[in-house]
Amino acid sequence: MFSKVCLFLLGAVAGYFYQIVAVEEIYVAELMVESNITLEASTILSVLNTELQVEDSSGVLHTVTILQGELVAECIIIGPDSNCDCSVGFVWSNEVCYSSDCCSETTCKKNVSQITPLCIAKVKVQISGSVTLKRTIWDDAKTNQLKAAFGRLNGYVRDSLNMTGYRESKHIADFEAAFGVKLRTSALQDVINELESSLTAEVLVNTVGMVTIESPRAPVCYQSIVVLKCTFEEATGSADWKLIKKNSHSDLNNGSFVKLDSNCATQKYDSCVEVTLKNVTSIWAGTYECGFTNGSVTHTATTQLSVALLPDEIIMESNPITVDCSGDSQSSDIYVRVTATIPNTTESLNVSWMNTDIEPIVPTIKPSEDSLVYSVKAKVTCDKKRKAKNVSISFTNTMGQKKHAQLDIPVIIDGAEFCGEEEKEYVLWPKTPAGVTVINRTCAEGRVGNKSRTCNGTTWQPVFSYCVTEELMKVFNLATDFEMGLGATQKMAMDIFKGLNNNSTLDSDPSETLADIFISIRILNVMASASKSFVLQEEVFQDFLEGASNMLKSPWDLVNSSVVQDMSSNYLGSVEGLVKNIRVNSTTTISSTNLDLKVCPSGSDCNVFNISVTLNTFDGKMKTVAVKNLTDKLNNNFHTTEHLNNLLVIATLESQNSSLEISLEFFNEQPETIKPYCVFWNTTDSGWSDAGCIAKPVGNHIVCKCNHLTSFSVLMSKSDLGSSNIVIDVITYVGLGLSICSLLIFLIVESLVWSVVVKTNLSHFRHTALVNIATFLLLADCSFLASTAPGKLTGNWCLILTMCKHLFYLAMFSWMMCMSVMLVHQLIFVFSPLRKRVFIFLSSIVGYVCPCLIVGFSYLYCTYTKKPYHTDKCWLVFEKLLEGSLHAFLIPVGTVIFTNVFSMVVVIVTLLKSTAPDGRKADEKETAKSIIKVVVFLTPVFGVTWGIGFILLMLNEDDTMYTVANYSFVILNSFQGFFVMLTGCLTEQKVRGELLRIIMAKPKNDSMKNLTSATHAKDK
């Protein structure tokens, strides 16, 4: 009888691999030892060397050191019989279980010694699930059936399956079970399929212990960026993250604070999902659960995220609200109680008060509001100079981070203007200094927020109420969470719009109604922002449109016009953004009192509130919404016009490949003597514009046609051009087309004649500058042509083309300045010429580096200050004098033009001086001709014609000279490339001579001889 004993040793080995630096890697290896006699594992380990040579998959040998070893399995094989057992703490691997039917911790009677891995260390895997019966109710027989099915899985812990509860009159049964190995999803799904078939039920299973989760172990800083990562060894169908707080489970989706990434899988882990949390605050502290779902099985893992908290909100109040230091009180001390209220927190905060003379009072808790209140008595010493008492509070968390808040307590000094104490609408407004706005946080029952009132001189202004209903505030908080990515699901979106609709009905108090409208518009704005990252489905349309319609039933007349204009502009932008981003699957018609929506298929017209909307050609679906009772609330800055009716139309397309022309037909009740205009709302300038639009009366209707093409003069305009001019457009495109062709010809010619025309340093400087000017002008013109139809471009492409135009035009002007400065230097310092290396170095900095820095810093400044860098016309923004990104173009260009004009004046003065001694008429004529040549030849390459653009900035669009300047600017600068080719290339004798030689195929020496002879003859 032959017997063999196989010992399986599991060892941890350390390998040291050397490339640039030493790197230590830990591996786990399995060693099988065969022997005809019984051996002890300790005996085998003792005879093994501590260092081994290991060959990797590439055939490279590495030296490894054995760190630890233990016995994992032992097999006794006698003839055909085999008895294999796993050591304590180990179970059979899935490979052994599902290929040889040796599972869990049973003795295996089969020869499995060649299977790798053989036994694996036990892990804790917990499964929980539910069985939903479709026909019967739960009983003990079904429990036994459940135990038998899951008991066949590898690693099942005996008697661990328990029923944890029943629901729906025992139609739903919940269970849990424990396993010692990571289960195969396919094997688990097979058991589920078997149970669903035999029980006629739906079975869902959740596992814990099979997913690896990575997260910070210590508390993270307040408002820091946190990354959580989950990995799973098998490929799955979907992955998600949840935030669990108390009894709520919130799904995480992409938003302003949340970014999900599923593209992090590795060779070891086929499934991966990573979540990045930006600016974490108290709402992000809690338990995070990631899940990978495949079929009926979801593999999960949880982790706790702790945040070193600071108050998200600090509300400071004083009692009294103002301090009266007038009259008899002007020389006394007055004590004011100041409170700071923050949300209740478990964080150990260090609190300190500043600018107070009295010790703080012990903080109290408001259980009903779940908040902490810190109090202090502050002493105000009255004097004639004091206008306000400043009291500050600072909170410091365990990470040393601080958050401050300050309250300015108004002080009334003797002789100063003030508003007297007044009670209005059951609210007492105290005696208040002129120019101060007082905030009162008392709202009616069922409302939250505050009321404010401003003292203007000695007169109180109307009360503005920010007291909104508690239900609307809850909806706003849900919308804010949704926009951040917390709880962002289609169901939550439907709940938000339903809550908005249900709470948008008008209140009996008009001032409270306006507060509700104000917060409702903010909800729309937040959801419009959220719709950019989360795709909303068409089911939200009904509640969204009805709620938005209800907001327009009120006249909004209890606040000043600027507030109404801001509210209406935000309302329009939010409605437009939502209509654009909500996905529709079919044609839809939804009508309400003030909004009428039509979703029309390709090739058909839309009719909303009796307005016909036509797009000549388009792909996909057109979403059209007509809005009533809004135009009278928007800022009407378009000439001295009045609204034809109180209707406006929003039209959006799903496809980016849309037609440039849209036609709208409005009913007209006005007399023929009144000139109609067709305008659109410019979201950048918050005003009306008729750029690209034409109004044409047809009977008792007005037909509006818009295309939104961009003319060249927009580059030096501080706003979108007032009206579309076909002639200007044609000149722009013909001029640019000719310029691009001319510049290409110029660059080809320069490449052909370069070696002939750059014999001297001066000619080398001139032609280097000319080539750079032509190259950047060519790139700038191409970028401009690409952006002439901004309606077709996405936001990213519009930004890219704006930056390209900004950069290339600045680079062109920079090289123009290099050329002009070089010319002046040669005229003034005749005997001290520039060296080639110096010119190239300085010109490269001015021509390449400076434009890049200007464009880069202007974009970063706009991003940091959250100001727009470009308009929807794909060009820079002009807000007002010295404000707006357009000044990052105007100031450098103005500097270059001024420098180049100065250089031209120096050249002209030099020419005049050369003829001054003689003063003969013939010489004067020659001088006049030379001056004219200087002006004609240098104007295009010095960019002087762009100076007309600054005249455009100073003129009013209604001025007659504006039209003259506009045409001059467009003609001279759209054809600039053609003029550069003529004056910079073909007017130079050497260039013409070399071109003639190339065309006539003459030998190079003959051409140079003729050119030299001609030159000598002229010198004589």
Side-chain angles (χ1 to χ4, degrees):
M1 180 183 296
F2 175 78
S3 65
K4 180 170 67 175
V5 177
C6 297
L7 299 180
F8 296 88
L9 305 171
L10 186 67
V13 295
Y16 298 89
F17 306 90
Y18 294 92
Q19 280 185 318
I20 300 174
V21 295
V23 179
E24 182 178 337
E25 297 184 4
I26 304 296
Y27 295 88
V28 176
E30 189 175 86
L31 174 66
M32 182 178 73
V33 180
E34 296 184 3
S35 176
N36 289 332
I37 59 173
T38 302
L39 295 175
E40 293 291 336
S42 56
T43 305
I44 298 172
L45 288 174
S46 64
V47 299
L48 287 175
N49 294 324
T50 56
E51 290 188 353
L52 300 174
Q53 294 292 319
V54 177
E55 183 178 337
D56 63 19
S57 58
S58 303
V60 180
L61 287 175
H62 301 281
T63 300
V64 298
T65 304
I66 296 178
L67 300 178
Q68 181 184 355
E70 59 183 318
L71 182 67
V72 298
E74 184 175 0
C75 290
I76 300 176
I77 304 171
I78 302 174
D81 299 324
S82 177
N83 282 280
C84 293
D85 289 286
C86 293
S87 299
V88 176
F90 292 85
V91 294
W92 297 113
S93 67
N94 288 323
E95 288 76 10
V96 172
C97 178
Y98 298 119
S99 63
S100 304
D101 200 24
C102 294
C103 301
S104 301
E105 300 176 72
T106 59
T107 299
C108 186
K109 300 295 184 179
K110 298 180 181 180
N111 188 355
V112 293
S113 59
Q114 303 301 321
I115 299 176
T116 304
L118 187 62
C119 293
I120 57 177
K122 287 183 180 180
V123 294
K124 291 183 179 180
V125 174
Q126 193 77 20
I127 72 166
S128 59
S130 64
V131 182
T132 304
L133 299 173
K134 298 179 179 179
R135 297 177 183 174
T136 59
I137 62 174
W138 198 260
D139 54 31
D140 291 341
K142 294 180 177 60
T143 301
N144 294 330
Q145 193 173 349
L146 201 65
K147 290 181 178 180
F150 283 104
R152 294 195 299 270
L153 290 171
N154 188 33
Y156 174 71
V157 178
R158 186 175 301 174
D159 299 328
S160 65
L161 193 144
N162 297 306
M163 307 307 299
T164 57
Y166 304 96
R167 293 174 284 157
E168 302 291 334
S169 301
K170 285 198 170 184
H171 285 285
I172 301 177
D174 299 321
F175 65 92
E176 65 180 11
F179 291 82
V181 296
K182 292 185 176 182
L183 302 169
R184 282 185 180 177
T185 305
S186 57
L188 187 55
Q189 187 64 52
D190 289 341
V191 170
I192 292 172
N193 294 340
E194 177 189 329
L195 288 169
E196 287 182 334
S197 176
S198 61
L199 296 175
T200 313
E202 180 186 14
V203 181
L204 297 176
V205 171
N206 183 82
T207 75
V208 176
M210 297 178 60
V211 174
T212 303
I213 190 167
E214 300 174 19
S215 65
R217 296 182 180 180
V220 298
C221 290
Y222 184 77
Q223 290 190 336
S224 62
I225 297 176
V226 177
V227 179
L228 309 176
K229 184 177 181 181
C230 271
T231 51
F232 184 55
E233 295 174 356
E234 302 179 35
T236 55
S238 63
D240 59 18
W241 280 92
K242 288 183 175 67
L243 173 58
I244 304 171
K245 299 188 73 171
K246 294 182 179 178
N247 296 323
S248 65
H249 289 61
S250 301
D251 290 291
L252 299 183
N253 270 301
N254 286 321
S256 60
F257 278 57
V258 178
K259 181 183 178 183
L260 295 179
D261 182 14
S262 298
N263 299 318
C264 51
T266 62
Q267 187 174 1
K268 181 178 180 181
Y269 297 106
D270 290 333
S271 296
C272 176
V273 61
E274 184 179 88
V275 61
T276 302
L277 306 174
K278 303 176 184 177
N279 301 325
V280 291
T281 57
S282 60
I283 66 169
W284 301 105
T287 301
Y288 284 81
E289 179 184 273
C290 63
F292 297 95
T293 301
N294 202 5
S296 303
V297 182
T298 301
H299 304 287
T300 64
T302 60
T303 187
Q304 188 74 24
L305 178 65
S306 298
V307 182
L309 299 177
L310 283 171
D312 294 333
E313 182 183 27
I314 305 173
I315 300 174
M316 297 192 70
E317 299 176 89
S318 68
N319 186 16
I321 298 176
T322 61
V323 175
D324 188 1
C325 282
S326 62
D328 297 336
S329 303
Q330 56 184 309
S331 60
S332 62
D333 292 336
I334 298 175
Y335 292 93
V336 179
R337 182 185 176 93
V338 180
T339 61
T341 305
I342 66 171
N344 200 359
T345 178
T346 57
E347 181 77 13
S348 178
L349 294 171
N350 184 18
V351 183
S352 58
W353 291 88
M354 283 77 77
N355 301 330
T356 61
D357 300 322
I358 304 296
E359 289 295 323
I361 302 169
V362 177
T364 59
I365 300 176
K366 287 186 178 180
S368 60
E369 300 177 9
D370 195 25
S371 58
L372 280 173
V373 180
Y374 295 84
S375 304
V376 70
K377 280 187 177 181
K379 183 172 71 174
V380 180
T381 302
C382 293
D383 58 62
K384 294 182 179 180
K385 296 181 180 180
R386 181 180 292 278
K387 292 184 179 180
K389 169 70 175 180
N390 302 323
V391 179
S392 302
I393 189 171
S394 174
F395 295 90
T396 307
N397 64 15
T398 54
M399 305 288 284
Q401 296 176 286
K402 297 179 181 291
K403 191 167 186 178
H404 306 273
Q406 177 175 299
L407 177 67
D408 296 330
I409 306 171
V411 177
I412 303 171
I413 60 176
D414 200 37
E417 290 185 330
F418 62 88
C419 295
E421 183 178 280
E422 180 179 307
E423 184 176 350
K424 189 177 181 65
E425 298 173 358
Y426 306 105
V427 177
L428 182 64
W429 298 97
K431 187 177 178 180
T432 302
V436 173
T437 298
V438 179
I439 296 176
N440 189 299
R441 301 188 183 277
T442 303
C443 293
E445 186 177 356
R447 290 182 172 272
V448 293
N450 61 72
K451 295 179 180 180
S452 65
R453 199 177 187 193
T454 301
C455 175
N456 187 7
T458 59
T459 306
W460 281 109
Q461 296 298 301
V463 177
F464 189 86
S465 174
Y466 292 94
C467 293
V468 301
T469 64
E470 292 179 348
E471 291 302 317
L472 267 178
M473 184 54 70
K474 289 178 182 177
V475 174
F476 175 72
N477 291 333
L478 288 176
T480 303
D481 291 346
F482 188 101
E483 190 271 339
M484 290 190 294
L486 181 61
T489 62
Q490 178 66 17
K491 182 181 181 302
M492 180 58 70
M494 294 179 67
D495 290 342
I496 290 171
F497 285 113
K498 186 175 181 180
L500 176 65
N501 183 25
N502 293 340
N503 292 279
S504 60
T505 54
L506 299 183
D507 194 276
S508 57
D509 186 348
S511 64
E512 306 289 13
T513 297
L514 198 60
D516 290 344
I517 292 173
F518 184 83
I519 195 69
S520 297
I521 293 173
R522 290 187 65 189
I523 292 171
L524 289 180
N525 189 266
V526 169
M527 292 304 293
S529 176
S531 66
K532 296 176 183 178
S533 54
F534 184 89
V535 180
L536 298 172
Q537 302 300 321
E538 60 184 333
E539 290 82 7
V540 304
F541 256 131
Q542 186 73 47
D543 284 318
F544 152 51
L545 292 175
E546 289 183 0
S549 175
N550 292 336
M551 299 176 203
L552 300 176
K553 293 179 180 179
S554 170
W556 304 7
D557 55 1
L558 293 182
V559 290
N560 60 51
S561 59
S562 61
V563 175
V564 172
Q565 289 166 7
D566 287 341
M567 290 172 61
S568 57
S569 180
N570 290 334
Y571 175 92
L572 179 59
S574 302
V575 170
E576 181 180 4
L578 283 167
V579 170
K580 178 181 178 181
N581 295 329
I582 294 174
R583 180 177 294 172
V584 293
N585 299 317
S586 59
T587 57
T588 305
T589 300
I590 300 175
S591 296
S592 58
T593 306
N594 292 303
L595 279 84
D596 189 13
L597 168 72
K598 293 284 193 309
V599 179
C600 304
S602 175
S604 63
D605 298 343
C606 280
N607 192 290
V608 284
F609 283 149
N610 297 319
I611 301 173
S612 178
V613 183
T614 306
L615 210 61
N616 51 4
T617 57
F618 66 90
D619 298 325
K621 301 179 184 69
M622 179 171 67
K623 291 176 278 190
T624 306
V625 179
V627 185
K628 286 182 180 179
N629 299 321
L630 182 65
T631 52
D632 59 331
K633 299 175 178 64
L634 291 163
N635 179 27
N636 186 9
N637 60 341
F638 188 75
H639 305 306
T640 55
T641 59
E642 295 181 358
H643 296 296
L644 179 66
N645 49 44
N646 207 3
L647 281 172
L648 62 83
V649 176
I650 300 170
T652 64
L653 291 172
E654 287 186 343
S655 173
Q656 290 294 333
N657 297 321
S658 59
S659 171
L660 293 175
E661 186 173 88
I662 185 172
S663 176
L664 302 94
E665 188 174 331
F666 293 86
F667 183 73
N668 181 25
E669 296 178 345
Q670 302 296 328
E672 295 182 359
T673 55
I674 296 179
K675 181 182 178 181
Y677 291 91
C678 181
V679 294
F680 71 94
W681 184 254
N682 188 317
T683 55
T684 302
D685 295 338
S686 295
W688 297 104
S689 172
D690 65 347
C693 296
I694 299 174
K696 181 179 179 182
V698 179
N700 61 348
H701 287 79
I702 300 294
V703 176
C704 288
K705 291 188 177 181
C706 299
N707 53 39
H708 294 281
L709 292 174
T710 306
S711 68
F712 195 79
S713 52
V714 75
L715 291 176
M716 299 292 283
S717 174
K718 54 190 175 185
S719 63
D720 289 329
L721 299 180
S723 59
S724 179
N725 191 317
I726 301 300
V727 178
I728 290 285
D729 290 342
V730 171
I731 293 172
T732 297
Y733 303 129
V734 171
L736 287 177
L738 182 60
S739 288
I740 290 172
C741 294
S742 301
L743 292 169
L744 288 172
I745 294 171
F746 173 79
L747 292 174
I748 293 172
V749 169
E750 283 290 322
S751 65
L752 294 174
V753 304
W754 182 266
S755 60
V756 175
V757 299
V758 294
K759 297 293 185 181
T760 65
N761 281 353
L762 183 62
S763 62
H764 184 274
F765 300 160
R766 178 174 181 271
H767 283 273
T768 298
L770 280 173
V771 167
N772 278 281
I773 291 168
T775 301
F776 286 116
L777 180 57
L778 174 64
L779 293 172
D781 287 349
C782 290
S783 300
F784 187 91
L785 272 181
S787 63
T788 51
K792 281 187 172 183
L793 300 173
T794 61
N796 289 336
W797 274 111
C798 190
L799 172 62
I800 291 170
L801 290 174
T802 301
M803 296 186 75
C804 286
K805 289 186 287 186
H806 192 185
L807 175 64
F808 296 148
Y809 279 122
L810 283 184
M812 175 192 74
F813 277 103
S814 299
W815 278 99
M816 287 177 174
M817 187 171 69
C818 292
M819 186 174 180
S820 70
V821 172
M822 177 271 297
L823 179 61
V824 171
H825 183 276
Q826 293 299 115
L827 288 173
I828 297 176
F829 304 101
V830 179
F831 301 105
S832 300
L834 273 175
R835 288 183 296 171
K836 185 185 294 185
R837 185 174 298 177
V838 174
F839 174 79
I840 295 299
F841 175 75
L842 295 177
S843 298
S844 297
I845 294 175
V846 174
Y848 300 138
V849 178
C850 289
C852 292
L853 291 177
I854 293 172
V855 174
F857 280 122
S858 61
Y859 175 73
L860 290 175
Y861 173 78
C862 291
T863 303
Y864 179 76
T865 57
K866 297 182 180 180
K867 293 184 177 180
Y869 174 74
H870 65 96
T871 67
D872 54 0
K873 298 299 180 189
C874 301
W875 187 232
L876 305 174
V877 177
F878 182 93
E879 296 177 8
K880 59 182 179 180
L881 186 62
L882 297 180
E883 286 192 21
S885 58
L886 185 61
H887 290 88
F889 178 76
L890 295 178
I891 293 174
V893 169
T895 303
V896 172
I897 291 175
F898 177 80
T899 304
N900 291 355
V901 170
F902 174 79
S903 300
M904 288 181 63
V905 171
V906 170
V907 174
I908 293 170
V909 170
T910 304
L911 289 173
L912 290 173
K913 283 184 177 180
S914 64
T915 59
D918 296 333
R920 290 178 298 179
K921 289 187 177 179
D923 290 337
E924 289 178 357
K925 287 182 180 179
E926 288 297 322
T927 302
K929 289 180 182 180
S930 299
I931 291 173
I932 293 172
K933 287 181 180 179
V934 167
V935 173
V936 171
F937 291 167
L938 294 184
T939 294
V941 295
F942 279 9
V944 178
T945 54
W946 284 72
I948 302 172
F950 289 91
I951 299 175
L952 283 173
L953 290 172
M954 294 182 286
L955 293 175
N956 194 318
E957 290 185 16
D958 296 330
D959 196 331
T960 305
M961 287 303 298
Y962 181 88
T963 304
V964 176
N966 195 15
Y967 272 91
S968 302
F969 182 84
V970 172
I971 292 171
L972 292 174
N973 293 303
S974 62
F975 288 88
Q976 186 179 7
F978 175 69
F979 297 141
V980 167
M981 182 190 71
L982 291 179
T983 60
C985 177
L986 300 181
T987 56
E988 187 173 342
Q989 188 175 5
K990 286 184 180 181
V991 175
R992 293 201 307 271
E994 181 64 11
L995 273 179
L996 185 63
R997 182 194 68 78
I998 293 172
I999 294 171
M1000 301 185 68
K1002 289 183 178 181
K1004 191 170 184 178
N1005 291 338
D1006 291 345
S1007 174
M1008 290 304 298
K1009 183 178 179 181
N1010 292 338
L1011 183 61
T1012 304
S1013 300
T1015 304
H1016 288 171
K1018 184 177 179 180
D1019 290 342
K1020 292 177 182 178

